[in-house]
Amino acid sequence: MTIKKAGIEELPKIKKLTEKCAVALRELEIFQWNEHYPSLEKLREDIEKKELYSISEAEELLGIIVISEKIDDEYLAVKWLTESNRNLYIHRLAVNPEKWGQGIARNLMDFAEDLARKGNFLSVRLDTFSQNLRNQKFYEARGYQRLEDIYFPKQSEYPFHCYELKL
């Protein structure tokens, strides 16, 4: 498996992957992603900012992750464990539903956390949907500490739990 910064030519495959994930999550009654999120424009922006990484094997796109140094406005009021000056933020982690349970998300998170350590960041921060118990267990097993909730009204009426891993 190869992890690399995604190129703009991958955008159609990436959008299709996120749509497959949205459908698979809805089938599990996890209404995390919808027709508004993640949008084609948002994914294009992630690629243009060089923050979107893809993981592939034999030219098959297996998953994506966005790794950013920028704090989103929704995170500004959160009481984080570390100062907000050297942190990496994880967004839009997605794995082809046909490959769930094969360690691809773990590989992407290992990659992000290694990047953070090598870059001398204080922590890795993210949020996950409050109705997605599998994701919560995944992050907590990795040592992430659950903090406050935030809301994304265009995505869901339910909150998103913020998590942080101190490095």
Side-chain angles (χ1 to χ4, degrees), residues 10 66 79 81 108 113 116 126 138 141 166:
E10 292 180 85
V66 173
K79 291 177 185 72
L81 302 173
L108 287 165
E113 291 163 10
L126 54 88
F138 173 71
K166 288 172 70 172

Side-chain angles (χ1 to χ4, degrees), residues 109-119:
M109 287 304 298
D110 287 348
F111 176 81
E113 291 163 10
D114 287 346
L115 207 61
R117 285 184 186 92
K118 288 175 185 165

Side-chain angles (χ1 to χ4, degrees), residues 58-75:
E59 296 191 35
E60 178 188 5
L61 178 65
L62 304 175
I64 62 164
I65 189 171
V66 173
I67 306 170
S68 176
E69 292 183 42
K70 181 186 175 291
I71 186 169
D72 288 353
D73 290 344
E74 291 84 0
Y75 289 162

Side-chain angles (χ1 to χ4, degrees), residues 26-44:
R26 279 196 299 272
E27 287 171 359
L28 296 172
E29 296 192 16
I30 299 170
F31 303 100
Q32 181 171 350
W33 286 359
N34 58 34
E35 66 276 6
H36 302 291
Y37 186 86
S39 68
L40 187 67
E41 296 76 27
K42 189 65 167 167
L43 294 167
R44 180 189 318 277

Side-chain angles (χ1 to χ4, degrees), residues 95-114:
V95 172
N96 180 338
E98 296 163 17
K99 305 290 183 177
W100 285 358
Q102 296 182 20
I104 296 164
R106 185 185 67 243
N107 286 343
L108 287 165
M109 287 304 298
D110 287 348
F111 176 81
E113 291 163 10
D114 287 346

Side-chain angles (χ1 to χ4, degrees), residues 11 15 22 25 27 29 40 42 48 53-54 60 67 70 83 85 95 106 111 120 124 140 142 155 163:
L11 185 58
K15 180 61 175 154
L25 288 168
E27 287 171 359
E29 296 192 16
L40 187 67
K42 189 65 167 167
E48 289 171 352
Y53 293 80
S54 63
E60 178 188 5
I67 306 170
K70 181 186 175 291
E83 287 184 51
N85 61 6
V95 172
R106 185 185 67 243
F111 176 81
N120 293 314
V124 177
E140 289 168 9
R142 297 185 68 82
Q155 278 180 256
Y163 283 87

